[in-house]
């Protein structure tokens, strides 16, 4: 067989398999949705921990640089915020399920004015 015929047969074979690759997935169950939400929550916390550790290392490197360079090093002109520790992992999904979605109310920010209570 020549190369053109082999390529045409391979392309025809792939085209025949294309509809099978476009099959629709079943709708996830409530348990699968909860597991996905928990995984997403845990990954967000892990990302915050990684950013915190990176911040600590960057601060250490900068301090070492300014210590070794002494007066010859230019001082930074922009104030850099301190590294924020994310704290221990607390599962947000489990906390929501325990309290109940109907019971949860948004937490007001500190110093925000509260509307007066309504009389019944």
């Amino acid at each position: 067989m020549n190369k053109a015929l082999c390529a045409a047969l391979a392309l025809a074979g792939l085209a025949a398999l294309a509809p099978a690759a476009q099959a629709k997935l079943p709708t996830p169950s409530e348990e699968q949705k909860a597991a996905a939400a928990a995984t997403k929550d845990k990954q967000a916390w892990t990302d915050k921990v990684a950013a915190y550790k990176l911040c600590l290392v960057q601060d250490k490197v900068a301090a070492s640089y300014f210590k070794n360079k002494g007066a010859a090093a230019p001082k930074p002109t922009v104030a850099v915020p301190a590294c924020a520790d994310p704290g221990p992992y607390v599962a947000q999904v489990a906390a929501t399920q325990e309290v109940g979605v109907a019971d949860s109310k948004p937490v007001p920010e500190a110093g925000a004015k509260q509307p007066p209570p309504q009389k019944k």
Side-chain angles (χ1 to χ4, degrees), residues 29-119:
S29 67
E30 292 299 320
E31 293 83 20
Q32 291 171 333
K33 289 179 185 178
T39 302
K40 186 177 179 182
D41 182 47
K42 178 76 174 189
Q43 185 60 45
W45 178 81
T46 303
D47 292 344
K48 288 179 186 178
V49 170
Y52 173 67
K53 289 180 179 180
L54 175 64
C55 181
L56 292 177
V57 170
Q58 288 173 335
D59 285 351
K60 185 177 178 181
V61 169
S64 174
Y65 172 78
F66 287 118
K67 178 183 173 189
N68 292 335
K69 286 291 184 176
K75 297 297 177 189
T77 57
V78 178
V80 179
C83 302
D85 186 4
Y89 176 69
V90 178
Q92 297 296 320
V93 176
T96 303
Q97 290 175 351
E98 290 174 9
V99 173
V101 177
D103 296 339
S104 64
K105 295 180 182 177
V107 178
E109 293 184 24
K113 293 185 178 181
Q114 297 291 328
Q118 296 178 354
K119 295 181 181 180

